[in-house]
Every structure is written in structure tokens, then in C-alpha cells.
Amino acid sequence: MARAPRERRPGMITVYGYSSSGNCHKLRLLLGHLGRQPDRDFRWIEIDSPHGATRTPEFLSKNPNGKVPMIELDDGRVMVESNAILAWLADDTPDSRRRFFAGDAWQRAQTLSWMFFEQYSHEPYIAVARFICGWTPLDSPRRADLPRLRERGHQALAVMERHLAASEWFSSAGYGIADIALFGYTHCAGDGGIALDAYPAIRGWLERVRAQPGFVPMPPVAAENLALIAQSE
């Protein structure tokens, strides 16, 4: 039986993202590991999502959910949700480089399980605490949620710390997209008042991620947001 032809790799990928977002930075990080260069292999369009740029009719016509990141291929296809995009980018590489979503069916499912953990048990607390501290006014009523968010964020970090006591990575077959997904907001958890001092295994893992070939750091946060973070309790 003839095998189905492999899907044609796209040419230029357009990434719609907000650079200070951990969810968006995940894509920039994986693209760096894959050796894909800005303006040659992908185009980054900065979207000021905190100020409503994802709620315009033009953006909503592409993504009715009104969020970044989003990618658009040169044939007009659109994909949303950061971890789905990571899985597609990692899978749509030549076999010799398909190591970021590697392994057998069990290993790949284990990788996905950590990515689901990131979106359901990690990001809703660590990312939201960071957003409230740096992107809402000091008198915002949302700041009353910070103690609960920080408590739940520490619970997620404790789960990660226990895992790292026995495993070097979150992706079952070595460094991969689960690590990239979790790095997105873990490395900047302190911006939300969630310190990493009590998690030596996590800090060691973060350094291993930073040492990976092609690592791309998150661009600096705007001064106005840094000022709010500095004043947040």
C-alpha cells in the first residue's frame, strides 16, 4: 500500500505574538532551536494584546478567540494555541531533527501530559499572577486574587520539583516541547511574586534549558510593566 505523501513544509511562517508573553515566547524559543531565522524562515508581527490588538475585526477574523500566539502559513492556513503550535513545529521537521517531540507513542503521550499540566495546573496561576503584577494598575481589584494564585503556583512548582528529582527533562525522550512549554512562564515566575528559591531542581533545569543550542531569551519587558512588577506585593 502506497504511503501518503508527506505534507509540504510551508515557506514563510507568520507569527502573531506579544513578546512579553510566555505563551508566545515558547514559539520563538522552539524556532531558535530549529535554526529558523527571523525574516528568512518566519516573520514576527508584534501584537499589543494588553491594549486590545487581538480584539480588532481583522484579528478576530483569523482567530475568533482573540488571543496570541497565532501562526499563519503562506497558503493562508491559521493555527492557534501555543502548545498545539509547538507540537506542529516540532513534528514538521526533517526526521534527523525531529527530536523535540520524539519517542514512541507512550513517550509522546507523556510529553503531552506535561503540556496539558502546563496549561491547566501551571499557566492559569503563574502566568496570571505575573500579568496582574505587571499589567494591571496597583489599585486593580484583581490584585486580591494574588495570594490564591501564588499558592496554586507553588503547588504546581512542587509537582515539577518532585519530577525533576528523578528526571532531567519533562519531555520523555530528552529535551523537547514539554520543557519549552513549561519554561515559558516558569523562568519569569518571580515577576508574579512566585520566587524559585525553594526549588533547586527547577533552577538547575532552567539552566539546562538556557544551555541548549539555539536558545533565545525572552526580550526585555517594557519599563512601565517592570515598574508595576517592582511595586507589587
Side-chain angles (χ1 to χ4, degrees):
M1 183 176 179
R3 296 179 61 182
R6 178 167 172 77
E7 179 184 5
R8 180 180 65 88
R9 285 189 63 195
M12 179 70 74
I13 298 172
T14 300
V15 182
Y16 299 84
Y18 177 60
S19 291
S20 296
S21 159
N23 280 330
C24 296
H25 185 63
K26 297 172 188 178
L27 309 191
R28 185 176 258 147
L29 182 51
L30 179 55
L31 288 165
H33 290 320
L34 293 171
R36 298 194 184 183
Q37 298 298 314
D39 300 323
R40 185 193 73 185
D41 304 303
F42 72 94
R43 177 189 304 109
W44 182 281
I45 296 182
E46 188 73 10
I47 300 294
D48 189 1
S49 53
H51 293 98
T54 60
R55 310 309 302 179
T56 65
E58 180 183 8
F59 191 90
L60 291 171
S61 70
K62 297 178 184 292
N63 180 10
N65 200 27
K67 293 182 179 180
V68 286
M70 174 179 75
I71 64 169
E72 186 173 16
L73 307 189
D74 55 2
D75 61 9
R77 286 180 294 167
V78 167
M79 185 178 291
V80 299
E81 298 298 334
S82 60
N83 288 350
I85 299 169
L86 287 180
W88 180 79
L89 285 171
D91 217 29
D92 193 60
T93 56
D95 289 341
S96 62
R97 295 166 60 202
R98 194 180 298 151
R99 66 181 182 86
F100 295 100
F101 191 19
D104 58 24
W106 177 265
Q107 291 172 310
R108 285 162 65 95
Q110 292 288 346
T111 294
L112 289 173
S113 74
W114 280 110
M115 297 173 78
F116 293 137
F117 167 85
E118 187 266 340
Q119 284 292 286
Y120 286 101
S121 300
H122 179 283
E123 194 265 2
Y125 309 109
I126 293 176
V128 174
R130 178 177 182 259
F131 177 81
I132 290 173
C133 286
W135 283 264
T136 67
L138 293 173
D139 60 354
S140 169
R142 295 191 64 183
R143 290 178 178 262
D145 294 334
L146 283 172
R148 178 185 64 84
L149 294 170
R150 288 165 176 165
E151 179 183 4
R152 295 296 298 272
H154 280 294
Q155 289 175 10
L157 293 174
V159 171
M160 294 170 62
E161 184 77 6
R162 285 196 295 272
H163 172 80
L164 290 169
S167 301
E168 190 174 18
W169 304 111
F170 291 98
S171 303
S172 289
Y175 177 70
I177 57 175
D179 299 281
I180 293 168
L182 283 161
F183 182 88
Y185 280 110
T186 301
H187 85 284
C188 54
D191 291 348
I194 302 175
L196 300 178
D197 298 6
Y199 307 104
I202 288 177
R203 297 198 308 274
W205 163 75
L206 291 174
E207 289 308 308
R208 290 194 294 277
V209 174
R210 293 185 177 104
Q212 295 301 303
F215 175 82
V216 180
M218 180 182 280
V221 173
E224 63 183 283
N225 305 115
L226 284 176
L228 285 170
I229 289 169
Q231 296 175 76
S232 297
E233 297 181 359

